[in-house]
Amino acid sequence: EAGVAQSPRYKIIEKRQSVAFWCNPISGHATLYWYQQILGQGPKLLIQFQNNGVVDDSQLPKDRFSAERLKGVDSTLKIQPAKLEDSAVYLCASSLVGRVRLNQETQYFGPGTRLLVL
Amino acid sequence: DAKTTQPNSMESNEEEPVHLPCNHSTISGTDYIHWYRQLPSQGPEYVIHGLTSNVNNRMASLAIAEDRKSSTLILHRATLRDAAVYYCILRDVVQGAQKLVFGQGTRLTINP
């Protein structure tokens, strides 16, 4: 089966500009996650969707970051305006909820979008 | 969130077994122990998970201490492709969230 797709793979912008990342999860996966991974650190969850509803956005900097998942399939993460500290890899992941208990399910990650803010 | 402690880095030789340790002394009774790994320039990928008993799959084995305060990921015969950052994660189910909380992980280097 096809994996999680993300685009673009790389993006370079100047500070104060805006940028958007796109993610298409594995077909049939109800849950979608966006993670931010700063160089040398493990990924950090930004937002989690269950279908098209937000489950957890406690770590999303809402003054500049926004995300949506219209129709419960693909998703877009936007940064406006970008800061230097937003330079990171943005990872999208999806999981199929329902067959196993929540703390056993596997998350499948895309290749990520590497963002450099100058 | 329940915390895990892993060595920052480890090194091994190709075709030898590798034992990656993880300490999780504050684990709760319902926490599952998951391992993910991240190859260079890729997103993390699932390796294995377990609750109390040792687990085996085609990628690795997971040995869990009897008191569950530590576990060890075992790669039986390392290849160069196993060079990656390995993350030991306790699954945190809070208010319906299923998030993975990643630490720093262990960077595994495999020598030819």
Side-chain angles (χ1 to χ4, degrees):
Chain A
E1 64 181 6
V4 176
Q6 290 188 248
S7 66
R9 291 296 311 275
Y10 304 92
K11 190 74 176 179
I12 300 174
I13 62 173
E14 295 187 350
K15 60 183 179 183
R16 291 188 289 274
Q17 286 186 325
S18 61
V19 64
F21 312 126
W22 175 82
C23 171
N24 192 25
I26 293 173
S27 177
H29 280 197
T31 310
L32 185 147
Y33 312 79
W34 283 101
Y35 289 83
Q36 179 192 58
Q37 185 172 24
I38 293 172
L39 187 64
Q41 299 181 17
K44 181 186 81 172
L45 180 72
L46 292 176
I47 189 168
Q48 175 191 344
F49 292 94
Q50 182 78 17
N51 296 307
N52 60 350
V54 175
V55 174
D56 182 355
D57 64 355
S58 58
Q59 303 234 62
L60 187 73
K62 298 180 185 63
D63 57 334
R64 298 183 300 105
F65 285 65
S66 64
E68 60 182 13
R69 191 184 184 197
L70 301 176
K71 301 180 182 178
V73 181
D74 55 353
S75 176
T76 303
L77 177 70
K78 296 179 182 177
I79 307 175
Q80 183 180 8
K83 293 185 175 182
L84 296 178
E85 58 260 38
D86 297 332
S87 294
V89 176
Y90 291 85
L91 294 160
C92 180
S94 69
S95 64
L96 178 62
V97 180
R99 291 185 177 179
V100 296
R101 291 181 60 178
L102 296 181
N103 57 357
Q104 293 188 61
E105 65 181 46
T106 297
Q107 291 188 19
Y108 297 86
F109 285 80
T113 295
R114 188 174 300 272
L115 174 68
L116 179 60
V117 182
L118 302 176
Chain B
D1 297 333
K3 296 281 191 271
T4 63
T5 304
Q6 300 177 252
N8 288 333
S9 63
M10 291 185 63
E11 199 169 328
S12 184
N13 297 319
E14 199 175 8
E15 298 187 1
E16 290 184 355
V18 180
H19 292 235
L20 297 164
C22 180
N23 288 317
H24 30 77
S25 58
T26 60
I27 190 170
S28 73
T30 55
D31 280 336
Y32 274 75
I33 303 159
H34 285 245
W35 284 80
Y36 280 72
R37 73 179 185 181
Q38 189 169 21
L39 302 173
S41 299
Q42 295 188 27
E45 64 176 350
Y46 168 81
V47 178
I48 200 166
H49 78 277
L51 182 64
T52 56
S53 304
N54 295 344
V55 184
N56 300 295
N57 66 21
R58 63 174 180 80
M59 289 182 71
S61 296
L62 177 60
I64 302 172
E66 198 169 334
D67 64 4
R68 298 206 334 119
K69 292 185 177 182
S70 66
S71 60
T72 302
L73 179 71
I74 303 166
L75 307 179
H76 294 285
R77 199 160 170 263
T79 68
L80 296 177
R81 195 193 172 278
D82 292 319
V85 178
Y86 287 77
Y87 296 99
C88 170
I89 300 166
L90 301 183
R91 291 304 299 271
D92 178 6
V93 181
V94 175
Q95 297 178 349
Q98 305 117 248
K99 63 183 177 182
L100 295 174
V101 180
F102 290 84
Q104 294 284 92
T106 297
R107 181 172 299 276
L108 176 65
T109 300
I110 304 296
N111 300 314

